[in-house]
Amino acid sequence: MEILNILEIIEKKRDKKELTKKEIEYFIQGYTKGTIKDYQASALLMAIYLNGMTPEETTNLSIAMANSGEILDLNKEGKIFVDKHSTGGVGDKVSLILLPLVASLGVPVAKMSGRGLGFTGGTADKLESIPGYKTEISIEEFIKNIEKIGISMITQTGNLAPADKKIYSLRDSIACVESIPLIASSIMSKKIASGAQKIVLDVTVGDGAFMKNLQDAKKLSKTMIEIGKLAGRETVCILTNMDEPLGYAVGNNLEVIEAIKALNGQMPEDVKEVVLELGAYMLKLANLGDNIDQNKEKLLENIKNKKAIEKFKELVQNQGGDVSYIEDTSKFEKAKIVKEVKASKCGKLLNIPAKEIGKLACFLGAGRINKEDIIDNSVGIVLNKKVGDKVEKGETLAYIYTNDEKKAEKVCEDIEEVIEIGEENVNVKYIYEVLTE
Ligand code: URA
């Protein structure tokens, strides 16, 4: 019998050699159980980050991570489950809007969301900003909720892809997030474990995404589509723009409020395009309509007739949340200080760099700098303009929500510095491409 040893596995990857399926399984099982330590896993992850993985290694890693815990089989429910995941962004409240919306059209939703990672936000943190909402429930309750109302949104819970849960937070603390094999395996292991037969992925591209250019985003997409094929899960990737924050709000309560407004029909243009494109493909994969334009009409109709917001309320109530906050968003806790950042000149908005805005929101307390940091749900940034908009001198560019006067000053100064105003024409595209293979 071959005796495996973590030091030899690290050494192999350090020296740019290919790991076998057995070696990858040994690492994942050992790290999940705790026999392989954080410092050893850190070394291996950094070696993977620096030297990459072959498609075969990436697939083996994804499957080993999915197999580190239970794999749900939602098939037996007799319906087609379509899952959705984003590769991460700033101001990304798409899941909060899209998932109740498609559930209101009959697509069953079993969604396991992540927490904030690096400068990006996490849907689980946003949901928890609704008082009482429980993201950590048992798998039995998760399934029961889906049976009862057709949707449940939770965090990575119990025994679903536990290897990813550990690796995800370790990567965040050792600067190993932006890696194609690590992102692909993280996302696909969770998607395989949570049982959906079909998957729609929002692959974000640009300054506030982990993939900075279209070429890398396509490579990541093709890797995930390939893993999906091998695991028998049809996967569609939609490449979307993440150069500026999505919508206007960045920060937990602030984003939930923006999502509630969207479900009530007030959707910023970029949010609307992304929600409709992803939603139309989710309906298609669920066999609820092949025509993408007609699917978009169906989605818009369920916003108009309030079925989507009603489904969101049902979801919140079912998970223990206080629905009165959804009915009256003025109940959400507010930051004590609100400062305005004004434009120092007139012109057009050329750039609102998402990563800087995400980092500043984290600095205000909207995200975690260290794993154990506690998020302040009330703080963040609300933009008053989007790229391409005209601005007059003295007009408000953004509102800063904070509980700390000193932080407010710094963020105001930094935001003014990073937002670019000029005379050039800008052509903004929110959806770049849809990849199915
Ligand atoms: N989302 C995930 O679930 N994992 C990553 O690694 C990045 C984004």
Side-chain angles (χ1 to χ4, degrees), residues 101-386:
L101 175 55
V102 295
S104 75
L105 280 156
V107 181
V109 172
K111 170 73 173 153
M112 220 166 71
S113 296
R115 300 201 175 273
L117 188 61
F119 54 88
T120 67
T123 302
D125 295 326
K126 292 170 203 179
L127 285 168
E128 281 173 8
S129 76
I130 302 168
Y133 191 108
K134 287 198 270 315
T135 59
E136 295 191 18
I137 57 176
S138 67
I139 307 265
E140 292 71 37
E141 246 182 294
F142 181 52
I143 304 270
K144 237 197 281 156
N145 282 353
I146 301 160
E147 280 168 0
K148 188 170 153 205
I149 62 159
I151 180 168
S152 186
M153 293 174 73
I154 59 168
T155 189
Q156 209 163 347
T157 204
N159 199 24
L160 290 183
D164 174 60
K165 194 171 179 183
K166 279 188 93 172
I167 291 176
Y168 193 96
S169 75
L170 185 62
R171 280 167 59 210
D172 196 26
S173 60
I174 59 167
C176 275
V177 174
E178 293 104 330
S179 146
I180 290 177
L182 296 179
I183 294 175
S185 56
S186 164
I187 292 178
M188 293 309 285
S189 64
K190 281 193 285 271
K191 300 299 97 181
I192 294 167
S194 55
Q197 298 92 326
K198 318 252 177 164
I199 302 163
V200 173
L201 299 174
D202 180 358
V203 180
T204 50
V205 191
D207 181 71
F210 297 132
M211 296 297 108
K212 301 295 178 203
N213 57 59
L214 270 173
Q215 199 189 352
D216 285 345
K218 279 190 198 173
K219 198 167 160 201
L220 173 63
S221 301
K222 286 180 189 280
T223 306
M224 294 191 290
I225 291 170
E226 211 41 51
I227 297 167
K229 249 189 226 157
L230 289 165
R233 317 290 166 110
E234 186 179 355
T235 304
V236 172
C237 290
I238 299 177
L239 278 58
T240 63
N241 181 335
M242 189 42 79
D243 276 322
E244 65 178 320
L246 196 69
Y248 291 91
V250 182
N252 295 289
N253 280 353
L254 299 167
E255 287 188 49
V256 171
I257 294 171
E258 188 171 50
I260 294 167
K261 280 192 191 149
L263 284 164
N264 277 311
Q266 256 179 285
M267 259 200 263
E269 193 49 39
D270 54 347
V271 174
K272 184 167 161 184
E273 281 194 29
V274 175
V275 165
L276 293 183
E277 194 74 26
L278 289 161
Y281 276 92
M282 289 183 82
L283 294 180
K284 182 175 162 137
L285 291 188
N287 288 343
L288 292 174
D290 267 345
N291 184 306
I292 294 299
D293 289 333
Q294 280 172 9
N295 287 355
K296 288 183 184 174
E297 289 304 320
K298 290 181 206 162
L299 294 161
L300 285 171
E301 181 54 33
N302 268 29
I303 298 243
K304 234 194 257 163
N305 62 23
K306 305 281 177 208
K307 286 190 178 160
I309 184 74
E310 287 307 320
K311 187 53 79 179
F312 185 61
K313 283 192 214 162
E314 246 185 298
L315 163 73
V316 169
Q317 181 144 35
N318 218 33
Q319 308 247 168
D322 186 343
V323 176
S324 69
Y325 281 72
I326 315 303
E327 284 159 353
D328 175 9
T329 54
S330 70
K331 286 183 79 171
F332 277 98
E333 188 197 342
K334 299 207 182 44
K336 290 193 203 79
I337 305 162
V338 183
K339 292 250 182 215
E340 285 178 62
V341 182
K342 308 264 189 193
S344 57
K345 59 178 180 182
C346 71
K348 273 197 202 106
L349 282 192
L350 303 183
N351 187 19
I352 307 176
K355 183 170 180 178
E356 274 313 312
I357 304 289
K359 278 165 52 183
L360 290 170
C362 266
F363 171 73
L364 289 169
R368 293 179 195 81
I369 294 169
N370 298 306
K371 237 179 5 190
E372 51 289 337
D373 288 351
I374 299 192
I375 285 180
D376 182 346
N377 287 323
S378 67
V379 303
I381 296 165
V382 177
L383 301 169
N384 193 42
K385 297 276 173 189
K386 297 286 288 177

